[in-house]
Amino acid sequence: MQPKTLALVDDDLDYAEYLTQDLRERGIAVRRFDDSNALLADPEAFDFEFYLIDLMLPGVQGTELIKILRRRTEAGIVVVSGRLGPEVFGEVITAGADMYLVKPVQFEQVALAIGAVQRRVVRPGSADSLWKFDAAAGELIAPDGIRIQLSDADQLLIECFVKADGQPVTREALLACLGREAGASEADDGLSATIYRLRRRIERATPMLVPLQSKSRVGYVFKAPLQRV
């Protein structure tokens, strides 16, 4: 089993070019980034199904990049790096990587590692992943039972995501939920700030993955079961 989309983050241009070609021949849509900051600045940064990451990168270092990704996505993450040592393995696995391969490594081995991790991360949703919106209390209840106090704007957004039932919600629809007029740059910036504050509120309250993610050129999606109680 292989992912449909993959981000390759590696500043070794020759290696990245040949690996990209090999993975594309296996049917994977690969996008290359030679700088971790370039990935994080991309509108689709957290939308890939899989990530291959080097550790010695310009911008945010590899282990910190893994931590950032792991807060936003459950996608498979494999580290392919020339750094050696048991402490390095411990760092990347603790940060949230699924597997660690040491360069030099054959492309066939990389493909096998991607397939093995992908089989584990692709799994159906369950009742254990249900988030609940307690409208009366103004709280979001995480699957681990943590209650997150929401602002008035947060509640309006969560109500909008409940109605969407797992489908992406456009920025225009979210602005309408907030009672703001679409088209003004101030309103658009305000929506991004509101979404950011809601994400941070969730992150500070629970160690669980934040399911609120951007959907490139569309808006945002709550990628977990969400129910009003």
Side-chain angles (χ1 to χ4, degrees), residues 13-162:
L13 300 184
D14 289 338
Y15 165 81
E17 179 180 353
Y18 288 118
L19 178 56
T20 295
Q21 180 179 340
D22 181 87
L23 295 176
R24 285 175 176 168
E25 290 174 355
R26 299 174 190 269
I28 304 174
V30 181
R31 285 189 59 193
R32 288 167 44 193
F33 300 89
D34 57 10
D35 184 317
S36 55
N37 288 344
L39 169 66
L40 295 175
D42 192 277
E44 299 178 345
F46 305 109
D47 296 337
F48 294 95
E49 290 188 12
F50 211 96
Y51 297 84
L52 279 181
I53 297 174
D54 190 13
L55 293 181
M56 303 299 292
L57 292 168
V60 177
Q61 287 296 304
T63 51
E64 290 303 313
L65 177 60
I66 294 168
K67 292 176 183 178
I68 293 170
L69 291 172
R70 196 45 83 209
R71 295 296 292 178
R72 293 283 191 265
T73 176
E74 291 180 328
I77 299 176
V78 168
V79 170
V80 184
S81 175
R83 286 183 60 191
L84 297 172
E87 73 284 353
V88 179
F89 177 84
E91 287 176 9
V92 299
I93 297 301
T94 300
D98 297 291
M99 194 176 293
Y100 173 52
L101 302 177
V102 180
K103 293 178 180 178
V105 60
Q106 297 179 358
F107 293 162
E108 178 67 23
Q109 292 174 303
V110 176
L112 288 172
I114 292 171
V117 171
Q118 185 69 5
R119 283 194 296 271
R120 291 202 298 270
V121 300
V122 175
R123 55 188 181 275
S126 68
D128 292 339
S129 63
L130 177 65
W131 293 69
K132 299 177 183 179
F133 174 42
D134 186 340
E139 295 175 335
L140 182 66
I141 307 172
D144 59 3
I146 296 294
R147 287 180 167 266
I148 304 159
Q149 190 66 45
L150 302 174
S151 69
D152 291 342
D154 293 340
Q155 294 179 55
L156 293 172
L157 289 178
I158 293 297
E159 185 72 59
C160 199
F161 287 120
V162 168

